[in-house]
Every structure is written in C-alpha cells, then in structure tokens.
Amino acid sequence: MTNKCQWWKQLVLDLGASITFYTIIPLPYVDAFDFQGVARLAPVVGVIVGVMLGLFDALMDYLGMAMLTRSALVVCVWIAITGGLHLDGAMDTADGLAVGDPKRRLEVMADSATGAFGAMAAIALVLLKTVALTDLQESRWLALSAAMGWGRWGQVLAIVRYPYLKPTGKGAFHKQAIRSYRDWLPTLLLLVGLSSLPIVLDRNKLLESAIIVIAGSAIALNVGAWFNHKLGGHTGDTYGAVVEWSEALFLCVLTMIF
C-alpha cells in the first residue's frame, strides 16, 4: 500500500512538473518537482490542454459565437496556454532549414531573431489550424485533445529515436530522461484509448477511430523522421516544430472524417 501511495504521489509531482514546464497554467511551485523527465508526460499535458480548449470552445458556442471567430479564438488561446513554446521552435527551425549551408543551420536556429521563413511558418501553422477547426463541425473537443496528444507523442518519439545535435542545448536533458519503451508506451496506450472513443460511443464509427489512430501515429512518426532527414538529428527547436506540424497536419486529416 505504501509503495502504491508513493507511486501515485510521484506521478502527480511529475505531471505537475510537466504542466509547469509546458504551459503557463498557474500551479503552486513544489520543491519536489523534477523537470528532468517532463517530456515523458508531455502527451498527457497535451490531452489536458486539449480538453480545456474543448470546454472553452463549447462555452463560446453556447454564447453564440460564429464558427470562424470561435476557431480563431481557440487557436489564440492555444498559443497563449502553451506560452508559444512549440511555435517558437517551429519558427526557429524554419529559419534554420532555409539556410543553404547545412553547417550554418544550427547557428541560425540559435539566433533569437525571427526571419522571414520563421514568420511564414507561423502564419501557415496558425492558418492551417484555424481553417481545419472551422471545417470540423463535430467532435471538436476530441479533435483538439487528440491533436495535442499525438503532436507531443511525436516529440517523445523524436527524442527516443534520433540523436540530439547540441549536447548543451536547451532540450538536451530530454534525451537523457527518455531511453526505453517504458517512457513512451504508456502515453501511446492513452492516445490509442482516446482516439478510440468514437467507436465506444457509436459502434458504427470503427473506421473513424481507426483513421484517427493511424493518422496520429503515422504523422507523429514521419514528421520527426523528416526533420531528422533534413538536419541529421534534433534540437529543442525541432522538438517544438514536430509538435506544431503534427498538430496542424492531424487536424487537416480529421476534416476528411468529421
């Protein structure tokens, strides 16, 4: 019994650390927070934030807000809750990939100034998410939760599978914390369960559930693989880019089934 209590206590502390690291949600700071392993629970944080956005979206719908305006507002709140952390990484990554000389890409990505390609990437991501959400007339809370969960699972997968390019970079500690299937399998099972909710609620929606699981896992896998192909590994910025592009592409796929 004591061991179980200790396990639950540690899980709550780890989740609190992940929420504090990945969002601006105010939580009381606890000295026992260990930020070294926050990436393991990043998909859980994504699902939690997705549910929050879904509730906010439902409230705006109840108040009579138009679909396009509501979708744009949800995306703005989405960026605000995450502090723009992943979007900033996607912008830096875009600036780096725009450089013709591969040897200078990491140097450009480390520059805090945003270039033209970074700005264009941000516009494209915000536009894709807003338009896709506008086209999703139903199950929007599920779309938001699944998108944020699968996007962050893609980050976890990138951490596990590919080398980290800057040993002293801001995301280097993630590589040390995620080493085996035990660090990514539990959240995968969580996302499969979440993505299977349509068939739980309606047995005729087997195809929809299957597409959500296949699309989520395939996009998470291939987006990280693409950045690895272009750079030969990953950095903290590309982890953010994996999250952002996985989310946007996943929402685009969902418009074909909802």
Side-chain angles (χ1 to χ4, degrees), residues 56-78:
F56 175 76
D57 178 67
L59 175 61
M60 294 300 102
D61 183 33
Y62 177 77
L63 294 176
M65 184 175 289
M67 179 69 78
L68 178 58
T69 305
R70 179 158 44 107
S71 298
L73 188 57
V74 166
V75 172
C76 290
V77 175
W78 187 341

Side-chain angles (χ1 to χ4, degrees), residues 12-176:
V12 170
L13 287 173
D14 289 344
L15 181 58
S18 293
I19 292 173
T20 300
F21 185 85
Y22 286 114
T23 75
I24 62 166
I25 297 173
L27 291 179
Y29 184 79
V30 178
D31 291 337
F33 278 172
D34 180 7
F35 293 97
Q36 295 302 309
V38 292
R40 290 197 299 267
L41 292 176
V44 180
V45 175
V47 172
I48 292 172
V49 175
V51 171
M52 293 172 61
L53 291 175
L55 292 173
F56 175 76
D57 178 67
L59 175 61
M60 294 300 102
D61 183 33
Y62 177 77
L63 294 176
M65 184 175 289
M67 179 69 78
L68 178 58
T69 305
R70 179 158 44 107
S71 298
L73 188 57
V74 166
V75 172
C76 290
V77 175
W78 187 341
I79 296 171
I81 290 179
T82 58
L85 176 67
H86 301 110
L87 186 59
D88 178 67
M91 294 167 67
D92 288 340
T93 300
D95 283 333
L97 290 176
V99 177
D101 183 2
K103 297 180 179 179
R104 292 194 59 244
R105 286 176 177 170
L106 295 182
E107 177 185 342
V108 172
M109 289 165 63
D111 191 342
S112 60
T114 300
F117 285 92
M120 287 187 286
I123 293 171
L125 286 165
V126 171
L127 185 62
L128 284 173
K129 290 181 179 181
T130 302
V131 173
L133 277 176
T134 303
D135 287 337
L136 290 170
Q137 302 294 317
E138 59 181 78
S139 302
R140 286 164 63 92
W141 72 270
L142 177 60
L144 288 163
S145 302
M148 297 192 72
W150 282 113
R152 283 153 183 76
W153 191 74
Q155 170 190 302
V156 173
L157 206 59
I159 293 171
V160 172
R161 296 188 66 199
Y162 306 115
Y164 191 80
L165 297 176
K166 300 191 298 182
T168 59
K170 58 186 177 182
F173 67 95
H174 294 317
K175 189 68 177 176
Q176 303 300 319

